[in-house]
Amino acid sequence: MKRTTGVIASAAVAALLLAACGDSDADTEETPAAEDTATEDGESAETTEEAPADGEESTAEAGGEPAASDGTSLVIWADDLRAAALEDVAALFEEETGVPVTLQVVANENLREQFGDAVSAGAGPDIAVGAHDWLGELVQNNVVAPIQLSSDLVERFSPESVEAFMFEGQTYGVPYSVESLALIRNVEMAPEEPATFEELVATGQQLVEDGEAELVMAQEVGQEGNAYNMYPYLAAYGGGIFPLLEEGGFDGSQAILDSEETLQGAEKIAWLAEQDALTVNLDGSNTIPQFVEGNTAFLVSGPWAIQQATEAGIDYAISPLPDFEDGGDPSPLLGVNGFYVSAASQNPQIAQTFVQEYVSRPDVQVALFEAGDRPPALIEAYDQVAETNADIEAWGLAAEGGTPMPNIPAMNAVWGPLGIATASIVNGEDPAEQMATAQSEVESAL
Amino acid sequence: MSQSVIDPPRSTGEPPAPGTGEGVRTPAWVHVTRWALIAAALLGLGYAAQQAIEAGSWLIVTVVAFIAMAVLVVYSTQRFIPAKYLLPGLVLLLLFQMWPIVYTAATAFTNYGDGHTLSKDEAIVAIQAQSVRQDPDAPRFGMSVAVPEGEPIESGDLSFLLTVAPTADGDELEEGAEETGDTGENVTADGYQLFVGTEEGLEPLAAEGVSVRANGTVETAPGYRVLNLLEANERSAEVTDLAVPVGEDGSAVKAATTSQAFVGQPTMVYDEEADTMTNAEGKVYVATEDGNFVPEDGEGSPLPAGWTVNVGFGNFLTIFTDPAFRGGFLKIFAWNLAFPVISVASTFLLGMLLALLFNDPRLKGKAVYRSLLVLPYALPVFVTGLIWAAMFNQQFGLINELTGLNTNWLGDPWAARLALVITNLWLGFPYMFLICTGALQSIPSDVKEAAAVDGAGPVRTLVSVTLPLLLVAVGPLLIASFAFNFNNFTLIYLVTRGGPFVDGNSLVGSTDLLINFAYRIALESGNPNIGLASAVSIVIFMLVGAISYVGFRQSKALEEVN
């Protein structure tokens, strides 16, 4: 009896650790099919080029075949929504080229890691659907192959979306959607679109005073802070994280977190916290629910919040983040989703054909929009969707003037320190001090 | 009896005597089954070896071959009877315990991590492949892959049949076309210009007899066998490598998709002699011992793809000397000792008290109470951890709402630690309750009766008789529980994620355990560094080992008292 307890206990520890490692992102999107791939790739995660790990035989037996590129079919990894949207395209591709397409569903939060691990083990898909800010890491580890887009194709996409998938002058992905933060407003509670942030805060405070709302505004910060959500304020006066390069992209060798412009934005964060508009107690788990439950009239969030708002029957309107009265113009970071081609693909030309000639089709981009509700990156598809969908037009306006999230690997060194610095500012610490601390920590990591 | 927990569970004890006695003939089916099983095992191992050979890992091939020989030797003869029982256990021990340890230890001496996952040769290939740039002014070609007619599809010399669409500006054709004498004979009736490209260069292709598809690729051409998509894909690696030189600056026509080709060139050139990379502008990058190509003049960032190098004791030195680590490591270590001690003590006390209470024969409805108490143990920690984290929220959490406090549970270092202890108490006491209940029920009632006869009251019986017997039984489990909480990654990760982070150090959180710290370094920090994280794991391994050793020594002493 006790002997088994010991074994069970240790097995439980191992299982918990494994499970915890797999669940690295507290995103809510989950798919049952992803569980399978999680275990398969848990094994290949240990595997490296020079010393393939113990489970070489077990990996093969576990049936990695359906998920890995093998030279007979085109394997695409995508999350459940995108995989569903790609089904028609896959069928079309199969019909036109005779190459069967295997769509493998991988949970969004695991995709990046599994894609990297699988490709470095020489396996993995031909194509993976993912966000542009993975790029630096994927290039560093030679996971993705360059994509030589023809110049007339490039012109058909919005410039930021193509730029987002460029790294050191090379293109590595074909974009399909652009997302950014915007102001989502409960029209019943606040009928007028606020012209400035000051007006927004005043309206919010009035609603709280009148007992109609509990919060001035909802935006995710969390105890660890959230650099992505705070970036629009930091960049409002021309500051930001890294200086922009003239040829596009960021200069990752020096951070500008303690620059005068960035600091001016940081002070706006402090001001918003003073006005009870920002609080670290709003985190990933409760921010959107506060808005959906009608506890606040204003939510600063992205397209991922819309589904919940719609389900709750909220009458909402989307508008760009308002300016500050002194001229500060909050500019959000853009997240671009697109298609990567694996560097270890067994079907390199076919994979390139799919991403260059099929993903760039308007009907494909519209189908992907319908699955994900994000504005298409292809201008023609965007125009087509925006005509009938006011939300999409609003998202498009909100994204205007935004900069793609830096995709350089140095960005990994920024999220943690900058997040914590912004959380401290929201908690009432001195902005200058916090930004200087973050700057020195980022510098030492670069 | 508790001794058995200490023994490795797979010890098989004395092997039973051989089943075949003298003079008794072994039935034929036993032989057949035995050889069939041996053959099956060898086949499986052969398959494994095949896989390893394909992956190019000779170390694994050697290990597999050794295991195969051992299987054959041990099971094919009547001798080595103990080995027959031990071998499976030994193989599993090797595979699932020794190998991961050796592998982790080996990784701890490298800089394996983001940007250093490749070997040097792979990194060089990757850098050159990533540096291929399209010539901005050159046209896109329609492309078909072909072999000369009559040659086999699998091995014939590959060439590209290229077309330039009539809409393209004829004047801006790449130099190659001009050099090869664009005579006009290579223009089809539709206006497509035709070329054939091989490793030697670009030649015009006579338009006569050539048919062009709607997408602008050559369908048939005299003298060539055009490969279809799947045939070309069979040779995709060669298609990728085929570069048709055009012009003198190193530009070449390369496949972009299955039907298009572009003109471009790698902008990075590797010089094997000097071990340097040179880019198109002549900037030189030199290889460093850290596994990167860095600019020779020190200006700018290193090339993205680096390679794994051996760093010796560098990672261990970092842990103990780097100021960001040193202070943090000690702080984390102190909390890492305190947390399991407090957790085990608090959960055990509560669990034991409840067990004593519910062990009272006078109590009715014990089954109901017991099931209710075990409930927290039955819920997955992923759910409960997140729920507790939400309940500790300062503004919206249930705890502050109920108590009327305004404690910043997750934002204040000490409050966060207390929050973890509370959560873990709730999660952990049912386990202690269970094992104490079990142990109490196994204490024979006659010792208590004997104590009563000797004139001991209930308190005296509890302190002098019940508790010592209970501790002997659950002692090793408490040590196991200590080891579990020493590495209780999940709870910390779900409730506080290691935070709050103070003093501008985003690596070292106030409630981090060493394992959470290792995880952050490995996967979440600025520069994910698996090598460094492995070094931290090894330090943790040694610490847990030392603590468990001392603990088990103590529990043995406890038994001797008995």
Side-chain angles (χ1 to χ4, degrees):
Chain A
M1 168 72 197
K2 277 176 200 143
R3 174 186 296 215
T4 48
T5 316
V7 177
I8 292 169
S10 50
V13 178
L16 285 174
L17 279 178
L18 279 177
C21 296
D23 192 49
S24 63
D25 207 332
D27 215 322
T28 43
E29 288 172 288
E30 264 178 38
T31 53
E35 304 267 340
D36 304 340
T37 52
T39 43
E40 278 164 30
D41 289 281
E43 284 161 14
S44 55
E46 312 276 335
T47 318
T48 64
E49 291 296 317
E50 37 183 36
D54 52 0
E56 199 62 51
E57 66 270 51
S58 59
T59 315
E61 279 161 21
E65 276 83 2
S69 159
D70 60 359
T72 56
S73 79
L74 189 71
V75 179
I76 303 176
W77 283 8
D79 69 23
D80 50 347
L81 284 178
R82 279 131 202 180
L86 282 171
E87 261 166 28
D88 287 346
V89 192
L92 186 76
F93 187 78
E94 194 167 335
E95 189 190 308
E96 289 185 11
T97 61
V99 180
V101 179
T102 311
L103 288 169
Q104 175 80 32
V105 175
V106 178
N108 203 350
E109 62 266 27
N110 304 333
L111 218 158
R112 171 190 199 158
E113 203 181 319
Q114 290 185 11
F115 181 39
D117 289 341
V119 173
S120 15
D126 297 297
I127 293 170
V129 185
H132 82 272
D133 59 312
W134 307 354
L135 184 54
E137 184 189 313
L138 297 179
V139 172
Q140 262 191 337
N141 298 338
N142 196 30
V143 174
V144 288
I147 294 174
Q148 307 288 351
L149 290 176
S150 70
S151 50
D152 54 332
L153 190 57
V154 167
E155 278 161 22
R156 291 169 50 209
F157 286 98
S158 73
E160 315 86 59
S161 68
V162 177
E163 189 200 317
F165 277 103
M166 287 185 64
F167 184 77
E168 309 239 317
Q170 182 70 277
T171 306
Y172 291 92
V174 180
Y176 77 83
S177 79
V178 182
E179 63 193 33
S180 70
L181 292 175
L183 178 65
I184 305 170
R185 176 167 49 93
N186 185 325
V187 179
E188 278 167 30
M189 297 171 82
E192 294 296 313
E193 181 185 329
T196 63
F197 238 108
E198 282 77 2
E199 202 182 306
L200 184 160
V201 169
T203 313
Q205 284 171 340
Q206 188 62 45
L207 285 167
V208 173
E209 225 166 88
D210 298 346
E212 284 181 43
E214 285 170 28
L215 296 169
V216 176
M217 171 184 114
Q219 183 173 19
E220 181 186 334
V221 182
Q223 293 289 347
E224 293 169 85
N226 186 318
Y228 173 81
N229 273 318
M230 294 299 112
Y231 180 87
Y233 310 118
L234 296 176
Y237 298 89
I241 297 170
F242 295 112
L244 284 163
L245 290 171
E246 273 173 31
E247 67 261 32
F250 290 87
D251 175 6
S253 60
Q254 54 176 113
I256 50 163
L257 297 177
D258 60 352
S259 71
E260 208 174 298
E261 294 84 6
T262 315
L263 209 55
Q264 211 176 340
E267 267 153 20
K268 285 296 170 195
I269 296 177
W271 175 78
L272 284 167
E274 270 167 38
Q275 304 296 317
D276 293 328
L278 292 177
T279 162
V280 292
N281 292 317
L282 283 174
D283 56 31
S285 68
N286 57 12
T287 307
I288 298 174
Q290 291 290 341
F291 177 75
V292 168
E293 287 159 17
N295 293 338
T296 177
F298 301 108
L299 171 69
V300 178
S301 189
W304 50 89
I306 292 305
Q307 197 189 350
Q308 291 180 51
T310 316
E311 277 168 14
I314 301 267
D315 184 9
Y316 64 86
I318 299 162
S319 49
L321 295 177
D323 294 355
F324 289 101
E325 264 169 17
D326 57 2
D329 178 11
S331 84
L333 284 173
L334 304 182
V336 183
N337 291 300
F339 289 73
Y340 290 106
V341 173
S342 157
S345 170
Q346 304 286 310
N347 316 299
Q349 284 89 35
I350 295 178
Q352 295 280 0
T353 306
F354 187 88
V355 298
Q356 293 185 36
E357 294 174 19
Y358 284 77
V359 172
S360 62
R361 288 161 70 136
D363 52 336
V364 174
Q365 298 252 333
V366 170
L368 285 163
F369 152 75
E370 276 159 7
D373 270 343
R374 269 83 158 163
L378 191 77
I379 296 166
E380 196 184 330
Y382 172 79
D383 290 343
Q384 189 185 329
V385 173
E387 248 173 49
T388 55
N389 190 319
D391 279 8
I392 287 305
E393 203 176 355
W395 286 121
L397 286 175
E400 256 172 39
T403 13
M405 214 186 300
N407 58 21
I408 47 183
M411 200 52 201
N412 282 332
V414 173
W415 295 121
L418 183 57
I420 287 161
T422 53
S424 303
I425 295 171
V426 171
N427 267 332
E429 308 272 338
D430 178 41
E433 210 174 279
Q434 292 301 320
M435 294 311 284
T437 312
Q439 169 79 12
S440 65
E441 205 186 331
V442 169
E443 264 174 11
S444 70
L446 289 180
Chain B
M1 62 186 283
S2 51
Q3 181 71 33
S4 61
V5 176
I6 305 165
D7 285 339
R10 68 171 58 82
S11 88
T12 51
E14 287 295 311
T20 53
E22 286 296 316
V24 180
R25 283 197 53 181
T26 315
W29 64 268
V30 172
H31 283 298
V32 172
T33 316
R34 184 161 60 116
W35 281 104
L37 284 174
I38 292 174
L42 290 180
L43 266 178
L45 288 165
Y47 179 72
Q50 181 67 32
Q51 296 285 316
I53 289 169
E54 269 173 31
S57 170
W58 295 107
L59 180 66
I60 293 190
V61 177
T62 317
V63 171
V64 168
F66 182 77
I67 294 175
M69 272 194 309
V71 167
L72 198 62
V73 168
V74 168
Y75 293 104
S76 64
T77 65
Q78 301 283 355
R79 295 153 62 196
F80 313 115
I81 288 164
K84 286 186 169 55
Y85 291 88
L86 286 176
L87 188 69
L90 280 175
V91 169
L92 290 176
L93 182 77
L94 195 73
L95 222 58
F96 292 114
Q97 297 211 318
M98 297 311 290
W99 176 262
I101 292 173
V102 169
Y103 191 64
T104 309
T107 311
F109 293 96
T110 67
N111 65 350
Y112 185 80
D114 258 355
H116 295 279
T117 56
L118 308 170
S119 71
K120 189 172 180 184
D121 292 341
E122 288 168 337
I124 290 166
V125 172
I127 289 169
Q128 287 175 321
Q130 287 163 359
S131 77
V132 174
R133 297 283 186 278
Q134 250 179 117
D135 292 353
D137 303 328
R140 269 301 246 225
F141 292 97
M143 178 199 79
S144 309
V145 181
V147 292
E149 207 153 42
E151 284 192 32
I153 293 165
E154 298 79 33
S155 58
D157 288 332
L158 289 181
S159 50
F160 289 155
L161 302 182
L162 302 164
T163 63
V164 178
T167 46
D169 190 345
D171 296 337
E172 291 201 10
L173 275 187
E174 83 315 322
E175 308 92 296
E178 289 157 23
E179 280 165 23
T180 48
D182 184 3
T183 55
E185 283 176 10
N186 63 339
V187 180
T188 63
D190 300 341
Y192 283 105
Q193 281 180 290
L194 304 176
F195 301 96
V196 55
T198 60
E199 275 168 11
E200 275 82 51
L202 203 62
E203 302 277 341
L205 175 69
E208 214 177 305
V210 175
S211 64
V212 177
R213 294 192 193 98
N215 67 354
T217 58
V218 173
E219 190 171 17
T220 54
Y224 290 97
R225 161 78 163 83
V226 175
L227 303 188
N228 70 29
L229 203 79
L230 293 173
E231 289 164 347
N233 197 47
E234 289 282 303
R235 305 184 65 182
S236 59
E238 291 163 80
V239 175
T240 306
D241 288 342
L242 180 57
V244 180
V246 286
E248 280 153 13
D249 56 353
S251 284
V253 179
K254 293 177 71 79
T257 69
T258 48
S259 61
Q260 290 178 29
F262 70 99
V263 181
Q265 56 187 318
T267 51
M268 284 282 177
V269 181
Y270 180 61
D271 178 354
E272 209 168 332
E273 292 280 300
D275 201 9
T276 56
M277 284 275 178
T278 311
N279 75 4
E281 287 95 54
K283 189 173 169 114
V284 178
Y285 292 80
V286 291
T288 63
E289 303 214 325
D290 306 332
N292 274 116
F293 282 107
V294 299
E296 198 173 31
D297 54 10
E299 300 274 311
S301 35
L303 297 179
W307 57 95
T308 313
V309 292
N310 200 325
V311 293
F313 283 92
N315 289 326
F316 293 94
L317 281 179
T318 306
I319 297 173
F320 295 110
T321 59
D322 188 309
F325 277 81
R326 201 178 47 212
F329 197 84
L330 287 180
K331 191 175 111 176
I332 292 173
F333 184 53
W335 164 243
N336 206 153
L337 282 181
F339 174 71
V341 169
I342 298 170
S343 293
V344 172
S346 60
T347 53
F348 178 65
L349 265 179
L350 184 61
M352 185 186 69
L353 287 176
L354 289 169
L356 285 170
L357 184 68
F358 288 116
N359 206 38
D360 194 305
R362 286 164 294 177
L363 196 73
K364 299 274 176 266
K366 271 185 276 197
V368 177
Y369 293 124
R370 280 182 180 156
S371 338
L372 283 177
L373 278 177
V374 175
L375 213 60
Y377 192 48
L379 293 170
V381 70
F382 297 106
V383 179
T384 48
L386 289 172
I387 290 174
W388 275 94
M391 292 204 298
F392 279 117
N393 190 307
Q394 185 182 8
Q395 201 173 344
F396 311 104
L398 188 69
I399 291 176
N400 277 353
E401 220 160 89
L402 285 182
T403 57
L405 294 169
N406 190 27
T407 310
N408 189 1
W409 285 106
L410 303 178
D412 177 79
W414 286 106
R417 288 175 193 139
L418 182 60
L420 282 171
V421 169
I422 294 172
T423 311
N424 207 24
L425 178 61
W426 187 82
L427 284 170
F429 85 85
Y431 172 70
M432 295 297 182
F433 170 74
L434 274 182
I435 60 169
C436 285
T437 302
L440 282 175
Q441 283 170 350
S442 73
I443 295 173
S445 55
D446 50 1
V447 291
K448 288 187 210 159
E449 280 159 22
V453 169
D454 283 349
V459 176
R460 185 62 198 251
T461 313
L462 178 71
V463 173
S464 301
V465 179
T466 316
L467 281 189
L469 285 172
L470 181 73
L471 279 177
V472 169
V474 302
L477 292 177
L478 293 186
I479 293 168
S481 176
F482 178 89
F484 172 81
N485 278 304
F486 195 89
N487 283 329
N488 198 342
F489 175 91
T490 325
L491 177 75
I492 310 285
Y493 190 79
L494 292 175
V495 179
T496 64
R497 294 183 75 99
F501 295 83
V502 289
D503 306 329
N505 191 338
S506 67
L507 270 187
V508 178
S510 306
T511 56
D512 264 333
L513 298 180
L514 288 168
I515 189 79
N516 296 77
F517 180 57
Y519 177 77
R520 185 168 305 114
I521 296 169
L523 297 168
E524 289 190 331
S525 76
N527 204 0
N529 188 336
I530 314 272
L532 184 56
S534 300
V536 175
S537 331
I538 287 188
V539 173
I540 298 174
F541 174 76
M542 288 176 169
L543 289 171
V544 177
I547 291 167
S548 303
Y549 177 74
V550 173
F552 281 128
R553 285 279 295 266
Q554 289 302 111
S555 74
K556 252 191 188 153
L558 222 139
E559 255 165 66
E560 274 155 19
V561 169
N562 213 26

